[in-house]
Amino acid sequence: MEEVDVEPTVTNIPAASDGKHLGFAWGPGDILVYETLYKGSGSGCSFIHEVRKDEDIYSPILRKLFNESHHIFVGLQTIREDLPSKNKKNQFVSISKNYRSVIRACMEELQQVAVSTKEAAVATQYGNQVSILLAIELIWNLCEVLFIDAAPAGSLLLHLLDWVRLHKADVDEKAREVLQSESPAEHRDYWDVVVSYVLQGRLEEARQMLVKQAALQPAARSMYKLIDTLLSRMPFYNPGGNQTLTEFDVKWRHWHDEVNRCLQDNSFASNRHLEIICKILAGDEDTLLEHKELLSTWYHFLVTRLLFSHPTVKPTELHYYAQSCLTMFLDSRSVPEPLDNILLAAFEFDIHQVIKDCSIALNNWWFVAHLTDLLDHCKLLQSHNLHFGSNLREFLLLEYASGLFTHHSLWQLAVDYFDHCPEFGHVYLELQIERVPLDTERKALKVLRICDQRQMSEQVRSICKIMAMRALRNNRLGSALSWSIRAKDAAFATLISERLTVNTVYASKGTFSDLDLIDNLGPAMLLSDRLTFLGKYREFHKLYGEKRFGEAAKLLLSLMTAKIAPRSFWMTLLTDALPLLEQKEVIFSADQTHELMFCLEELTSSPHAPMMDEDIELTKVELLRLSLARNLAMAIIKEGTVEA
């Protein structure tokens, strides 16, 4: 679409007094505005104002609209391309009606809340939202008739009649009041109801109402019988019948001539009300315009005028009648409202103008995004691409989904919208997903699952690092290690493994923490040397607990000789070897004992050897040397005996 050639809307910010300079900070979908102390102009306001571009997503009732329409949208994307066009058309019409039913449900709920609330401001807010939804449903319904269903001549007027009747329901309320009164025929609104029924083409209801009046006027029975005959004989096109459009047109013209003859014969001259009805049936424009209050809108006037003067109107002729009806209906001083221009563009079959005007007039992207998506599936927008690469459908869906991402729960819906934007959807999702606040671990896992499913490896690493750091700050080392492993961050995993080794392992507390995690490291232990050591050291303790001393001894020795264990931890490992050295049965072979002795000497002779308490360390070293010497002697004797 071309650039919007209107002034942007003005947002008033309270407490920002004249002459003050404002500072601002952009958010994902909002702006924070605050007063500054620019050039020492005095103390600024203590308030920070949040300027939201889309208030509707914070309405609990309208959130139902977003949730329900999301399901319809996802279902629409699954319609197969290879279906016959007739089947697809029926499905598209059905989907359009589903969208409208969701709008209607939200509208009714908003009306109930607006009526029941005691706060005037809240009632006004909900009332405004009802007005917007009414306009949206009116436009959508017309687009459904003209573009999606694409009704031909004959059927077109029937659909337009249904459209007007659906959005001009006040006549039914008025009719109920009249019929519930003591004497309906004498009620002040009686004739308004009868004329309204005729204007909407509801001739059967009009006849039933006229029966009550005829019963009160026996002298005028012949006139009432004549008008009843005219009403009953008016032909309506039946798309499913055997009659062709030409045959219907001939029949309708014959009936129309009969109505005009009654007017020329002054058949109803003595009854003003019946004469008005007859003039309406004849399609008299002056009479129709005299009943502007009952018609209430120019598009009702348009449909009524077509019904009684040109019932076989073709879609291509609609815009001539629409423009003339708008001009005739509005006063010369009146300016068309945005809704009038949108409906006029629809009658002109200018889809892109409808979308453009709706984008300007409406306060969010919900309507234009979903309508454009549906029209695009109907292959009605194929010729329109934007200059910057994305087509109109994708542009509007991206804008709508980006708005949803500013909400604490609706962001999950936005993911599906991005998924169905093949050109830029993935890029937008990568940018937006990083802005989702990871308030809880559950939410982080949800975001992570979304990223995993879409191979967003950078975002996965970023989320895992954030959660690992948060867990580390809270001293939840097991959780921190788990997140760092998922992030495949070797450096961070090493840091946490070091902390686990030093703080929580057997050396300082006599037991392991986070056993489930350490027991199930699997291939993840290869991420870093420290993690490998942690996993293998835990494995040593399991073997020892299961009394598999030979395997435990071999593993313990390999941790030191292969330099897997950090040197700072060698003393702990050698101390762990003491119970094995003191067993009655020889566990360590002579060669293994020599290797243990070498490790001990290497540790004690190093100038950087970690010493806790000198007396304790010396005692440990002496005990180890004694045990190693005794085990070596026993191993040599045993091995010599076996060889002999």
Side-chain angles (χ1 to χ4, degrees):
M1 293 189 295
E2 63 264 33
E3 289 296 316
V4 176
D5 50 358
V6 295
E7 289 294 318
T9 54
V10 176
T11 301
N12 292 316
I13 301 169
S17 54
D18 293 337
K20 296 284 186 181
H21 292 274
L22 294 178
F24 68 91
W26 291 104
D30 311 326
I31 308 173
L32 292 179
V33 182
Y34 52 89
E35 287 188 15
T36 67
L37 299 176
Y38 183 71
K39 290 186 178 177
S41 57
S43 60
C45 174
S46 58
F47 295 105
I48 292 177
H49 307 281
E50 184 179 7
V51 183
R52 290 173 173 167
K53 71 175 182 182
D54 188 359
E55 272 290 321
D56 287 347
I57 63 173
Y58 299 97
S59 165
I61 297 173
L62 287 178
R63 280 208 295 276
K64 294 178 183 177
L65 173 69
F66 300 136
N67 279 304
E68 292 295 325
S69 58
H70 163 258
H71 294 304
I72 301 170
F73 170 83
V74 172
L76 173 58
Q77 312 312 308
T78 61
I79 291 181
R80 298 203 327 268
E81 287 291 326
D82 58 347
L83 280 176
S85 57
K86 187 178 180 182
N87 291 359
K88 277 203 285 193
K89 179 182 171 181
N90 292 336
Q91 281 187 297
F92 292 146
V93 171
S94 174
I95 286 168
S96 179
K97 287 178 178 175
N98 288 343
Y99 274 127
R100 288 199 293 113
S101 68
V102 170
I103 297 170
R104 284 233 156 233
C106 284
M107 198 159 47
E108 287 168 12
E109 192 172 347
L110 281 168
Q111 279 176 321
Q112 289 171 4
V113 175
V115 170
S116 61
T117 187
K118 295 178 181 177
E119 296 181 38
V122 176
T124 304
Q125 180 191 350
Y126 284 134
N128 292 338
Q129 289 176 341
V130 168
S131 301
I132 291 167
L133 287 180
L134 271 169
I136 283 174
E137 211 261 334
L138 180 75
I139 299 164
W140 191 302
N141 196 349
L142 183 60
C143 290
E144 180 186 303
V145 170
L146 299 179
F147 307 140
I148 301 167
D149 201 3
S155 301
L156 176 60
L157 185 63
L158 298 177
H159 286 299
L160 290 175
L161 274 173
D162 290 338
W163 173 62
V164 163
R165 290 167 185 168
L166 184 63
H167 298 94
K168 189 75 173 67
D170 58 340
V171 63
D172 293 310
E173 255 178 70
K174 206 181 278 187
R176 269 194 299 273
E177 284 180 32
V178 170
L179 293 171
Q180 287 169 3
S181 64
E182 289 181 11
S183 178
E186 293 175 348
H187 194 279
R188 68 178 186 277
D189 291 331
Y190 171 81
W191 284 108
D192 281 353
V193 170
V194 174
V195 172
S196 294
Y197 276 144
V198 175
L199 290 171
Q200 288 189 10
R202 297 165 65 175
L203 305 186
E204 201 56 45
E205 287 101 318
R207 289 174 64 201
Q208 289 170 11
M209 292 292 285
L210 284 169
V211 168
K212 300 181 185 301
Q213 190 67 238
L216 293 178
Q217 299 182 32
R221 187 168 294 169
S222 60
M223 271 193 294
Y224 279 98
K225 190 173 182 181
L226 179 59
I227 198 72
D228 184 72
T229 303
L230 292 176
L231 290 169
S232 64
R233 285 183 181 175
M234 180 179 175
F236 283 88
Y237 181 66
N238 180 13
N242 297 322
Q243 193 178 45
T244 65
L245 191 62
T246 307
E247 289 170 342
F248 163 75
D249 190 44
V250 170
K251 189 176 179 182
W252 182 86
R253 288 181 186 282
H254 179 74
W255 169 83
H256 202 250
D257 290 342
E258 191 179 341
V259 173
N260 282 322
R261 270 197 304 275
C262 290
L263 280 176
Q264 289 165 7
D265 297 345
N266 294 319
S267 302
F268 304 106
S270 60
N271 190 313
R272 184 175 64 87
H273 296 296
L274 295 184
E275 188 174 34
I276 286 171
I277 292 171
C278 191
K279 283 182 177 180
I280 291 171
L281 294 179
D284 184 72
E285 289 175 0
D286 292 334
T287 305
L288 291 175
L289 289 170
E290 284 169 11
H291 292 85
K292 277 186 181 182
E293 284 186 18
L294 297 180
L295 290 166
S296 74
T297 60
W298 67 269
Y299 45 88
H300 188 347
F301 170 51
L302 164 69
V303 175
T304 302
R305 182 185 170 197
L306 290 173
L307 175 65
F308 296 116
S309 63
H310 195 11
T312 57
V313 63
K314 297 173 183 174
T316 51
E317 299 168 339
L318 269 179
H319 69 281
Y320 297 114
Y321 290 101
Q323 185 63 66
S324 67
C325 286
L326 177 63
T327 306
M328 290 165 68
F329 197 83
L330 295 181
D331 296 328
S332 56
R333 292 167 293 178
S334 300
V335 179
E337 296 287 328
L339 178 61
D340 299 326
N341 292 326
I342 292 166
L343 294 177
L344 194 60
F347 283 122
E348 290 171 354
F349 285 83
D350 191 344
I351 297 175
H352 301 108
Q353 192 61 41
V354 171
I355 294 166
K356 177 186 173 182
D357 289 348
C358 288
S359 300
I360 296 169
L362 299 174
N363 60 344
N364 69 61
W365 296 101
W366 179 88
F367 172 71
V368 286
H370 289 87
L371 179 63
T372 305
D373 174 60
L374 182 54
L375 293 174
D376 187 72
H377 277 83
C378 296
K379 308 293 183 190
L380 295 170
L381 296 170
Q382 296 305 298
S383 61
H384 201 78
N385 287 320
L386 301 180
H387 298 300
F388 44 86
S390 174
N391 61 30
L392 182 60
R393 169 192 174 273
E394 183 161 319
F395 169 75
L396 294 172
L397 285 177
L398 291 172
E399 287 296 319
Y400 172 64
S402 298
L404 290 181
F405 249 99
T406 63
H407 193 268
H408 63 86
S409 63
L410 293 177
W411 66 269
Q412 297 169 77
L413 306 181
V415 174
D416 285 325
Y417 288 96
F418 284 139
D419 281 345
H420 291 99
C421 294
E423 196 163 348
F424 294 125
H426 193 76
V427 177
Y428 268 68
L429 181 57
E430 286 179 342
L431 293 171
Q432 295 286 355
I433 204 86
E434 291 177 350
R435 295 173 174 176
V436 176
L438 306 174
D439 308 318
T440 63
E441 198 154 308
R442 184 181 175 188
K443 190 172 182 181
L445 288 168
K446 197 177 285 183
V447 175
L448 199 62
R449 186 168 61 251
I450 289 168
C451 295
D452 269 333
Q453 288 167 351
R454 291 157 183 82
Q455 289 84 47
M456 294 161 60
S457 52
E458 281 299 317
Q459 284 68 29
V460 168
R461 276 196 290 273
S462 175
I463 292 162
C464 291
K465 284 180 181 179
I466 290 167
M467 297 307 293
M469 188 61 75
R470 187 178 297 172
L472 184 61
R473 279 200 299 267
N474 294 329
N475 206 32
R476 293 167 54 229
L477 298 179
S479 178
L481 181 59
S482 174
W483 283 111
S484 64
I485 289 169
R486 293 185 84 160
K488 296 182 174 62
D489 188 337
F492 202 62
T494 300
L495 173 69
I496 299 165
S497 302
E498 188 83 43
R499 289 273 293 270
L500 273 169
T501 302
V502 172
N503 296 340
T504 64
V505 184
Y506 176 81
S508 57
K509 295 185 179 177
T511 184
F512 281 88
S513 64
D514 302 292
L515 281 179
D516 286 345
L517 174 64
I518 297 169
D519 284 344
N520 295 289
L521 282 173
M525 72 168 65
L526 301 175
L527 185 64
S528 79
D529 290 344
R530 292 291 185 274
L531 200 53
T532 305
F533 164 67
L534 195 62
K536 291 295 181 183
Y537 186 57
R538 166 61 185 156
E539 191 180 330
F540 160 74
H541 275 273
K542 283 175 73 176
L543 291 170
Y544 186 86
E546 294 166 5
K547 299 190 185 303
R548 294 158 65 184
F549 298 133
E551 293 174 57
K554 189 177 179 181
L555 179 57
L556 186 70
L557 184 61
S558 68
L559 288 176
M560 288 185 285
T561 55
K563 301 292 189 285
I564 295 173
R567 189 176 287 266
S568 59
F569 207 67
W570 279 20
M571 184 55 75
T572 303
L573 295 178
L574 289 165
T575 307
D576 284 337
L578 269 174
L580 295 172
L581 293 168
E582 295 297 327
Q583 294 288 330
K584 290 180 181 179
E585 185 185 344
V586 177
I587 306 296
F588 289 101
S589 67
D591 288 341
Q592 288 176 326
T593 309
H594 275 120
E595 286 182 357
L596 285 173
M597 286 176 164
F598 176 76
C599 290
L600 179 60
E601 292 308 314
E602 189 179 339
L603 183 63
T604 53
S605 61
S606 170
H608 304 294
M611 292 291 178
M612 291 167 54
D613 186 304
E614 197 170 335
D615 292 337
I616 295 171
E617 290 301 316
L618 284 172
T619 306
K620 276 186 182 179
V621 171
E622 290 304 318
L623 277 171
L624 280 166
R625 281 176 176 156
L626 183 62
S627 294
L628 286 166
R630 188 184 301 132
N631 189 83
L632 181 60
M634 289 169 64
I636 290 169
I637 293 168
K638 181 183 176 184
E639 289 169 16
T641 306
V642 171
E643 287 172 12

